[in-house]
């Protein structure tokens, strides 16, 4: 025995068999005949068999409402398949967001974001300290760390050797480490 695809349609079929008047007896017989094929189509559109049954039931409900307007009943499968596809597309577009109520707010993850005022203050202090460096050391620090050039590129831009860049940058960083404005940062 197969499980009825649409409970409303199976009830209608039962009512017809019992001699009661059903508005669309042809709809009931269509669902009984084509239900398994249409369910396979619905299953191809969803990952979950239960969702496929819900999708088919929704599409059949839309078909039932439009039953009188459907002129060519030989094209019913196409009509229902289009209803399946349109319904599934609408479900994708709605993208359900699950929200769960909880007693406590979740903890904020990670390190709290630094205060923008403190960041700006540190940035200003760093630039003041860089401006205190001799011109050549300042140029090398700016090219190496602010322009992100390699030691070889810095040497090429300034027309000096790589060793000169290394030693000058090392001395400049030593001066920056000892700058009293930058002491709280360490």
């Amino acid at each position: 025995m197969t499980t009825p695809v649409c409970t409303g349609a199976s009830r209608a079929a039962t009512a017809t068999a019992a001699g009661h008047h059903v508005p669309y007896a042809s709809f009931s017989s269509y669902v009984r005949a084509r239900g398994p094929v249409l369910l396979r189509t619905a299953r191809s559109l969803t990952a979950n068999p239960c969702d496929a049954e819900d999708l088919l039931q929704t599409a059949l409900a839309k078909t039932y409402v439009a039953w009188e307007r459907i002129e060519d009943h030989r094209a019913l499968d196409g009509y229902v398949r289009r209803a399946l596809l349109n319904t599934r597309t609408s479900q994708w577009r709605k993208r359900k967001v699950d929200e769960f109520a909880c007693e406590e707010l979740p903890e904020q993850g990670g390190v709290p974001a630094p205060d923008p005022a403190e960041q700006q203050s540190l940035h200003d202090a760093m630039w003041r300290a860089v401006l205190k460096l001799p011109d050549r050391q300042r140029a090398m620090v700016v090219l190496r760390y602010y322009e992100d050039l390699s030691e070889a590129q810095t040497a090429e831009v300034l027309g000096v050797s790589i060793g000169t860049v290394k030693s000058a940058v090392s001395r400049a960083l030593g001066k920056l480490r000892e700058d009293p404005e930058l002491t709280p940062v360490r």
Side-chain angles (χ1 to χ4, degrees):
M1 179 175 166
T2 60
T3 306
V5 176
C6 179
T7 50
S10 66
R11 269 190 249 121
T14 306
T16 303
H20 296 52
H21 174 69
V22 177
Y24 301 123
S26 59
F27 177 78
S28 299
S29 61
Y30 170 76
V31 171
R32 266 186 273 121
R34 301 299 296 162
V37 173
L38 296 170
L39 183 58
R40 279 195 303 269
T41 303
R43 283 188 177 156
S44 71
L45 295 173
T46 63
N48 184 342
C50 294
D51 290 341
E53 290 174 2
D54 291 344
L55 178 63
L56 179 58
Q57 191 167 16
T58 303
L60 288 173
K62 290 177 180 180
T63 305
Y64 183 82
V65 170
W67 193 255
E68 289 181 332
R69 294 188 315 255
I70 301 173
E71 295 175 12
D72 185 7
H73 281 240
R74 292 174 295 175
L76 283 173
D77 282 356
Y79 184 91
V80 175
R81 283 189 182 105
R82 176 50 60 186
L84 284 167
L85 197 58
N86 290 346
T87 302
R88 186 65 181 142
T89 302
S90 295
Q91 291 171 348
W92 287 333
R93 287 184 181 147
K94 288 180 185 173
R95 295 219 176 147
K96 191 170 99 176
V97 176
D98 292 328
E99 293 182 16
F100 302 99
C102 58
E103 293 178 20
E104 296 179 24
L105 292 175
E107 293 293 323
Q108 296 293 330
V111 179
D115 181 19
E118 287 180 23
Q119 284 184 318
Q120 187 60 45
S121 174
L122 176 61
H123 183 266
D124 292 344
M126 180 59 82
W127 268 114
R128 283 192 300 274
V130 169
L131 290 173
K132 293 178 192 174
L133 294 173
D135 292 341
R136 191 171 183 177
Q137 286 181 356
R138 182 174 53 240
M140 290 183 192
V141 167
V142 168
L143 289 174
R144 277 290 286 130
Y145 298 105
Y146 286 95
E147 296 296 323
D148 201 27
L149 296 182
S150 68
E151 291 169 341
Q153 291 169 325
T154 302
E156 185 179 329
V157 168
L158 296 175
V160 296
S161 70
I162 295 174
T164 302
V165 171
K166 288 181 179 182
S167 63
V169 167
S170 176
R171 283 193 301 276
L173 292 177
K175 289 180 183 178
L176 291 175
R177 282 188 198 98
E178 295 178 7
D179 191 293
E181 280 191 81
L182 299 178
T183 304
V185 174
R186 286 182 268 158

